[in-house]
């Protein structure tokens, strides 16, 4: 008898995904950058670079530094701005049969609200991912993500302005991530995405200066994966809404770790830079694992951690 | 541009610390334009994590085999061993599997046919100038001014000469060619050919000095910049450089991998372009 292909479909906050694999914001541009390399329609979703109300030029250079099994970045959320995105980037994404999740942030509470309002009426946007976790900008970003009260306030405000599914992306740079996860859930998050990068620093020993112009940056890549798996595990215990796991996924088995601890979907970030087709390999690998293990539906795997 | 899984055809040390690698380039060798680059995945295990960008030195075809198959395309890169990534590359053997992404980036503009062209190369910065010279010599008179600290930094000059390029060498220690900086030679050549166009690639202090000379004389200049890169396709925005009109109040950045690596001098903000901390120091892991 021929084996039936396992179902990899999942639903996050009402967004139907063909499979649980999507890019992490900021590592995939606006989708078109990777179109020459992969079939975007095979992805569970496309997650865009973080948008702000006005275009943002980003931080001074150097902005990246490689470390052992990881990279530090301090890009500073360079982006075209929400209106230019809608006008110039969305038409490309509209033609692709894959849900589009738009990541966004604000410098102030009002800006968060305004960007949410502008995205709310765009039919091609399946859902939004609220960034309260970028470590590389002075205003906005992590400022809202490290204080549960501030997180609650910004999530509540965005919820008021937004008629779409709301995913909140949390920072790992806190003592207890389950506290901010609960605060986000109570304030109206439909899903939680964790983690963003860990704040780090690297020094050029010859010049004795930081290797990033911003002094510190966000650490990503396989170096952070065990931290991410632990935090996703904690957040899954703390909230009822679905959790998207992200942090250092390079191979199918890395994605499986996150699913097993209870993430309903995963995001792949730095690995896209190393291998533009890595998400295809990960989707194929998850499917192959399911076939091998006799799993007919990915939900049999999600949260199947044995303790 | 695509990600190609291919093999090393040869990989030899051509001067102390400098290597020349030839890889099979089916479907992309002949598509590469002067000034474009490839992102090499050094090995599939870690570290290093990220790919390394390398300028394309030369493309060509292997002679057809006696089996009647079509000639096979190849690409050559020249590289200097500076850190762990390039060290691993230097140990790759004939037949080793490699993954390359490319050809990437915007290359050189060939300018007006017939006018004098002066190429200025410093050390490994010579790499993108060979394909450029090959293209330019079809319609223009081309001179190469090549600089280095010692004779070991002077690479592949005879190959330029074979193209019919007049070459001038200078080294800081006088161990080959004229003693001194390549910019001295540039000043003399521009005295003789004031309407020439200049193309430069090399260490940032050299590029800055070339820019000053060209700006003062109103000579058109294109530069190929080296930058730290993660993706090579314009997604990570890690490799940006300051564009003309940049200020702290209204920053303006250009993406080296997508809008470059070749820029017209007037596209860039030259204030302290190469003096930021850590510039070009990233590949030591």
């Amino acid at each position: 008898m021929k084996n039936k292909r396992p179902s990899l479909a999942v639903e996050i906050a009402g967004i139907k995904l063909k499979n649980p694999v999507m890019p992490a914001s900021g590592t995939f541009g606006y989708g078109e950058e990777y179109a020459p390399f992969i079939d975007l329609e095979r992805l569970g979703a496309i997650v865009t670079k973080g948008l702000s109300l006005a275009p943002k030029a980003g931080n001074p250079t150097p902005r990246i530094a490689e470390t052992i099994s990881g990279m530090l970045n301090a890009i500073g959320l360079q982006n075209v701005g929400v209106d230019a995105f809608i006008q110039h980037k969305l038409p490309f994404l509209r033609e692709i049969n894959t849900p589009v999740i738009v990541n966004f942030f604000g410098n102030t509470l009002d800006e968060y609200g305004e960007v949410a309002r502008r995205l709310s009426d765009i039919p091609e946007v399946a859902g939004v991912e609220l960034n309260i976790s970028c470590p590389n900008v002075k205003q906005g970003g992590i400022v809202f993500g490290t204080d549960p009260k501030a997180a609650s306030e910004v999530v509540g405000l965005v919820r008021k302005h937004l008629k779409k599914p709301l995913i909140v992306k949390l920072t790992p740079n806190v003592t207890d991530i389950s506290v901010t996860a609960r605060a986000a859930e109570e304030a109206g998050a439909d899903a939680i995405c964790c983690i963003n990068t860990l704040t780090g620093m690297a020094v050029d020993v010859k010049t004795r200066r930081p290797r990033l112009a911003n002094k510190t940056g966000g650490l990503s890549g396989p170096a952070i994966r065990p931290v991410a798996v632990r935090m996703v595990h904690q957040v899954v215990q703390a909230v009822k809404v679905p959790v998207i796991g992200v942090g250092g996924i390079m191979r199918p088995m890395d994605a499986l770790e996150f699913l097993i601890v209870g993430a309903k979907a995963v995001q792949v970030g730095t690995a896209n830079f190393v291998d533009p087709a890595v998400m295809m390999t990960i989707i194929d690998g998850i499917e192959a694992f399911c076939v091998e293990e006799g799993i007919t539906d990915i939900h049999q795997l999600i949260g199947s951690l044995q303790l | 541009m695509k990600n190609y899984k291919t093999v090393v055809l040869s990989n030899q040390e051509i001067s102390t610390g400098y290597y020349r690698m030839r890889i099979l380039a089916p479907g992309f060798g002949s598509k590469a334009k002067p000034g474009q680059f490839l992102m090499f995945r050094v090995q599939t295990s870690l570290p290093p994590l990220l790919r390394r960008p390398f300028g394309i030195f030369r493309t060509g075809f292997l002679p057809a085999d006696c089996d009647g198959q079509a000639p096979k395309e190849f690409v050559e890169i020249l590289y200097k061993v500076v850190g762990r990534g390039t060290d691993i590359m230097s140990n790759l053997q004939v037949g080793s599997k490699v993954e390359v992404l490319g050809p990437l980036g915007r290359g050189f503009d060939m300018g007006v046919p017939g006018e004098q062209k002066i190429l200025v190369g410093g050390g490994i910065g010579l790499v993108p100038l060979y394909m450029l010279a090959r293209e330019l010599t079809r319609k223009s008179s081309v001179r190469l001014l090549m600089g280095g600290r010692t004779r070991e930094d002077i690479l592949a000059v005879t190959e330029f000469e074979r193209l019919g390029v007049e070459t001038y060498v200078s080294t800081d220690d006088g161990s080959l060619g004229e003693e001194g900086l390549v910019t001295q030679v540039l000043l003399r050549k521009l005295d003789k050919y004031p309407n020439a166009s200049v193309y430069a690639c090399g260490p940032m202090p050299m590029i800055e000095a070339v820019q000053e000379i060209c700006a003062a004389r109103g000579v058109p200049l294109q530069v190929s910049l080296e930058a730290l890169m993660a993706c090579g396709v314009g997604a990570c925005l890690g490799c940006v450089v300051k564009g003309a009109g940049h200020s702290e109040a209204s920053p303006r950045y250009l993406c080296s991998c997508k809008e470059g690596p070749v820029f017209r001098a007037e596209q860039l903000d030259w204030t302290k372009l190469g003096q930021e901390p850590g510039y070009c120091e990233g590949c030591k892991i």
Side-chain angles (χ1 to χ4, degrees), chain A residues 287-305:
Chain A
E287 186 176 295
F289 180 82
C290 288
V291 171
E292 212 178 287
E293 294 284 309
I295 291 164
T296 53
D297 188 310
I298 191 88
H299 290 89
Q300 294 166 246
L301 198 64
I302 294 167
S304 61
L305 182 71

Side-chain angles (χ1 to χ4, degrees), chain B residues 4-31:
Chain B
Y4 295 94
K5 291 179 181 177
T6 183
V7 291
V8 174
L9 296 171
S10 61
N11 188 27
Q12 286 167 330
E13 190 167 21
I14 51 164
S15 181
T16 309
Y18 291 98
Y19 285 77
R20 180 174 186 147
M21 183 189 283
R22 180 184 280 195
I23 59 166
L24 205 56
F28 68 97
S30 58
K31 282 189 199 143

Side-chain angles (χ1 to χ4, degrees), chain A residues 2-300:
Chain A
K2 203 179 162 190
N3 273 347
K4 223 181 123 191
R5 290 183 78 172
S7 166
L8 300 187
V10 293
E11 197 176 312
I12 301 278
I15 310 169
K16 289 187 165 66
L17 314 180
K18 284 168 267 204
N19 62 67
V21 180
M22 61 183 96
S25 173
T27 66
F28 206 64
Y30 303 100
E32 58 194 10
E33 289 83 350
Y34 280 94
F37 303 103
I38 57 169
D39 179 1
L40 297 174
E41 298 202 350
R42 283 197 66 206
L43 295 171
I46 293 169
V47 185
T48 67
K49 177 123 187 78
L51 298 172
S52 47
L53 188 57
K56 198 167 161 63
N59 285 337
T61 58
R63 291 176 168 186
I64 53 171
E66 186 167 344
T67 61
I68 291 294
S69 293
M71 72 176 269
L72 283 169
N73 91 78
I75 307 299
L77 296 174
Q78 178 176 341
N79 77 94
V80 297
V82 67
D83 294 337
F85 169 79
I86 292 166
Q87 206 183 335
H88 302 300
K89 304 292 181 185
L90 206 54
F92 169 81
L93 293 170
R94 191 179 291 142
E95 302 303 316
I96 297 178
N97 181 27
T98 298
V100 174
I101 296 171
V102 174
N103 182 293
F104 78 101
F105 66 99
N107 290 324
T108 60
L109 260 181
D110 285 348
E111 270 186 41
Y112 270 102
E114 181 56 26
V115 185
R117 200 183 58 73
R118 290 192 196 189
L119 290 170
S120 211
D121 297 325
I122 311 292
E124 297 88 347
V125 176
V128 300
E129 184 178 81
L130 172 65
N131 178 0
I132 53 169
S133 46
C134 177
N136 297 322
V137 290
K138 287 195 183 81
Q139 286 119 15
I142 202 166
V143 174
F144 291 98
T146 44
D147 173 10
K149 249 194 200 163
S152 175
E153 200 176 353
V154 70
V155 174
L157 177 84
V158 166
R159 177 76 287 167
K160 226 168 53 185
H161 285 85
L162 189 80
K163 297 172 235 156
K164 291 190 185 290
L166 171 60
I167 302 161
V168 178
K169 187 162 180 177
L170 299 181
T171 173
N173 300 302
V174 290
T175 314
D176 185 353
I177 196 168
S178 54
V179 175
T180 34
R182 272 195 299 265
E185 181 185 41
E186 280 161 20
D190 299 311
I192 300 290
C193 177
C194 61
I195 59 175
N196 205 321
T197 54
L198 287 147
T199 308
M201 185 171 175
V203 174
D204 183 320
V205 294
K206 276 199 179 157
T207 62
R208 303 183 192 186
R209 298 171 81 174
R211 280 169 59 195
L212 297 175
N214 197 48
K215 295 187 191 76
T216 60
L219 181 65
S220 63
I224 72 166
R225 196 176 61 246
V227 178
V229 172
R230 182 263 291 177
M231 288 195 164
V232 168
H233 173 60
Q234 281 179 303
V235 171
V236 166
Q237 313 304 311
V239 298
K240 291 187 185 69
V241 294
V243 176
I244 303 171
V246 49
I249 296 174
M250 303 289 288
R251 305 163 298 172
M253 68 170 79
D254 305 338
L256 291 168
E257 274 194 71
F258 282 92
L259 295 172
I260 289 166
V261 299
K264 215 167 175 192
V266 293
Q267 293 184 346
V268 179
T270 302
N272 292 314
F273 303 152
V274 181
D275 177 3
V278 71
M279 287 190 286
M280 306 292 104
T281 311
I282 290 170
I283 295 165
D284 292 342
I286 292 172
E287 186 176 295
F289 180 82
C290 288
V291 171
E292 212 178 287
E293 294 284 309
I295 291 164
T296 53
D297 188 310
I298 191 88
H299 290 89
Q300 294 166 246

Side-chain angles (χ1 to χ4, degrees), chain A residues 26-30 32-34 36-37 49 57-71 75 78-79 204 206-207 209-213 220-222 250 270 272-277, chain B residues 1-3 5 39 41 46-52 84 99 101-102 104 228-231 233-242 250-253 258 273 275-279 281-285:
Chain A
T27 66
F28 206 64
Y30 303 100
E32 58 194 10
E33 289 83 350
Y34 280 94
F37 303 103
K49 177 123 187 78
N59 285 337
T61 58
R63 291 176 168 186
I64 53 171
E66 186 167 344
T67 61
I68 291 294
S69 293
M71 72 176 269
I75 307 299
Q78 178 176 341
N79 77 94
D204 183 320
K206 276 199 179 157
T207 62
R209 298 171 81 174
R211 280 169 59 195
L212 297 175
S220 63
M250 303 289 288
T270 302
N272 292 314
F273 303 152
V274 181
D275 177 3
Chain B
M1 57 176 172
K2 267 166 82 174
N3 185 35
K5 291 179 181 177
M39 293 290 279
R41 191 170 184 188
L46 303 174
L49 172 65
L50 299 174
R51 290 186 184 230
R52 299 286 184 268
R84 194 186 297 203
E99 260 186 57
L101 200 62
L104 300 168
L228 299 175
M229 284 178 192
C231 72
V233 300
C236 75
L237 305 175
C239 65
V240 297
V241 289
K242 287 179 200 161
S250 84
R252 187 167 172 267
Y253 290 107
K258 195 99 181 181
L273 187 67
Q275 293 167 24
E276 285 163 346
Y279 195 87
E281 282 287 327
C283 292
K284 302 283 162 71
I285 292 294

Side-chain angles (χ1 to χ4, degrees), chain B residues 106-125:
Chain B
R106 288 169 70 113
F108 291 102
D109 180 331
M110 295 302 136
V112 184
E115 70 178 5
Q116 299 284 336
K117 316 280 188 193
I118 299 177
L119 319 187
V120 187
I124 204 69

Side-chain angles (χ1 to χ4, degrees), chain B residues 68-171:
Chain B
Q69 299 250 325
K72 292 187 177 79
E73 299 161 75
F74 70 81
V75 161
E76 279 181 13
I77 60 164
L78 301 186
Y79 59 97
K80 187 179 181 181
V81 174
V82 291
R84 194 186 297 203
T86 40
D87 183 47
I88 291 167
M89 279 182 72
S90 71
N91 287 310
L92 293 178
Q93 305 292 316
V94 174
S96 294
K97 289 177 183 166
V98 285
E99 260 186 57
V100 292
L101 200 62
L104 300 168
R106 288 169 70 113
F108 291 102
D109 180 331
M110 295 302 136
V112 184
E115 70 178 5
Q116 299 284 336
K117 316 280 188 193
I118 299 177
L119 319 187
V120 187
I124 204 69
L126 168 117
V127 172
L129 301 180
Y130 180 80
M131 272 178 79
L132 174 68
R134 197 169 62 180
E135 192 72 32
L136 290 176
T137 46
R138 290 180 187 170
K139 290 175 181 165
S140 301
S141 162
V142 182
R143 282 163 185 79
L144 170 72
L145 321 184
M146 180 60 200
R149 273 175 304 157
T150 75
R151 63 182 305 139
E152 313 219 299
D153 301 319
I154 306 298
L155 312 166
V157 168
T158 50
E159 283 172 77
F160 282 82
E161 286 170 341
R162 265 184 245 138
L163 294 173
V165 173
E166 260 186 58
T167 59
Y168 303 84
V169 171
S170 65
T171 49

